[in-house]
Amino acid sequence: MTALRLPTARETRRRADLLSRLPLVLAAVFAVLLAVAAVAPGILAPGSPTAIDPAQAFAPPSTEHVFGTDESGRDVYTRIVHGAGPSLLIGVAATAIGLGLGTLLGLLAGLGGRVADYAVGRTVEVLFALPGLLLALLVIVLVGPGPVPATIAVGLSSAPGYARLVRGQVIGIRATGYVEAARVLGHGRTRILARTIVPNTARQLLVLATLGIGQAIVWASTLSFLGLGTEPPAPEWGAMLNAGRTYLQVAWWMTVFPGLAIVGTILAATVLGRALERRAGGLR
């Protein structure tokens, strides 16, 4: 009888290391698939996302329709793949708006003196008193529904968080020794800002922006689910959730699979963002 061989400590550590990296690998693969779906959806789903076939309405998941069909016979898988582009575009654009506005406010508060810091600080506190989604809804009420207003609304609602982070980063970096040394050497404020403060702040902002894309997609999908963002028959994940909730008892796949796409995107963005955060922390 062959004796049972126990794994060595080195093999155990290697297996544990592989298991710890598995979420990151899966997140990276999912992110690559999302990128392909956003840039060239025809590679993953050659069909048209708006082509209807009433004879195939409410067809359950099968080999012919992997994720089933909706009430008009449209292939749910094809619509999810083609909906990755609009959903990601809204998330990235909203994050860019919030990041840009938040960076300007944070730099103004951190470098503009007491009056500017007080004014920006009180404004951010007022905005933080409102939940982000409620603030986005208020913007939609003022501007009107649609994908562009929804993107702007989500971006504006995320700006206070970025502003607070940038302000804290700027104040912390401004008090460091190398900034004081740059001042002693006669470097101007613009040069210190461009070569010292902004590069050191941008690293943390990149991590936060990666995490913020997932949150922006959730908020944008929520607005579409409420009928305030992208409207059917456009293949956008939130709009697909809104269309599928009516038929949840007879066609659960119309809601479950778009929801899984949103959840998977959030998880992938979170895992990649945390990995960037750990790497940025190790490079300090």
Side-chain angles (χ1 to χ4, degrees):
M1 185 187 309
T2 305
L4 179 63
R5 178 182 176 275
L6 296 177
T8 62
R10 183 177 181 180
E11 291 175 342
T12 303
R13 288 194 301 268
R14 183 179 299 175
R15 292 176 183 176
D17 185 54
L18 290 175
L19 288 176
S20 65
R21 293 183 180 181
L22 182 60
L24 180 59
V25 173
L26 294 177
V29 171
F30 192 84
V32 171
L33 291 176
L34 282 177
V36 174
V39 176
I43 295 178
L44 300 177
S48 171
T50 57
I52 63 174
D53 185 4
Q56 293 291 327
F58 299 122
S62 62
T63 55
E64 183 179 0
H65 301 285
V66 181
F67 291 170
T69 63
D70 61 9
E71 75 281 6
S72 298
R74 293 172 297 208
D75 186 73
V76 174
Y77 168 76
T78 301
R79 289 178 58 78
I80 289 177
V81 172
H82 285 260
S87 299
L88 289 178
L89 178 61
I90 292 175
V92 172
T95 303
I97 293 173
L99 185 62
L101 181 58
T103 300
L104 291 177
L105 292 175
L107 290 175
L108 179 62
L111 301 174
R114 294 183 178 180
V115 176
D117 188 18
Y118 180 83
V120 173
R122 301 295 80 78
T123 302
V124 170
E125 287 179 0
V126 171
L127 295 177
F128 262 120
L130 297 173
L133 185 58
L134 178 59
L135 181 59
L137 289 173
L138 290 177
V139 175
I140 288 291
V141 170
L142 296 175
V143 179
V148 175
T151 303
I152 297 174
V154 173
L156 293 178
S157 62
S158 64
Y162 295 118
R164 175 173 289 185
L165 174 68
V166 173
R167 175 188 175 275
Q169 290 284 321
V170 169
I171 292 177
I173 295 172
R174 192 178 60 184
T176 57
Y178 48 84
V179 173
E180 295 296 332
R183 289 174 179 170
V184 171
L185 293 174
H187 296 170
R189 176 176 293 186
T190 303
R191 183 174 180 181
I192 294 176
L193 176 65
R195 295 193 175 185
T196 304
I197 295 179
V198 171
N200 285 278
T201 306
R203 180 189 303 167
Q204 192 68 22
L205 284 178
L206 176 61
V207 175
L208 191 63
T210 304
L211 298 173
I213 290 176
Q215 183 183 40
I217 290 176
V218 171
W219 287 356
S221 298
T222 302
L223 293 176
S224 296
F225 179 80
L226 296 175
L228 301 175
T230 305
E231 298 181 356
E236 195 270 336
W237 294 341
M240 293 177 66
L241 286 175
N242 183 32
R245 64 187 176 88
T246 307
Y247 310 102
L248 188 59
Q249 293 183 347
V250 296
W252 55 266
W253 51 88
M254 290 178 58
T255 304
V256 170
F257 289 118
L260 289 177
I262 295 174
V263 172
T265 302
I266 297 170
L267 291 177
T270 302
V271 171
L272 294 176
R274 296 302 181 189
L276 288 174
E277 185 177 20
R278 290 192 297 269
R279 183 174 180 82
L283 292 176
R284 290 178 183 176

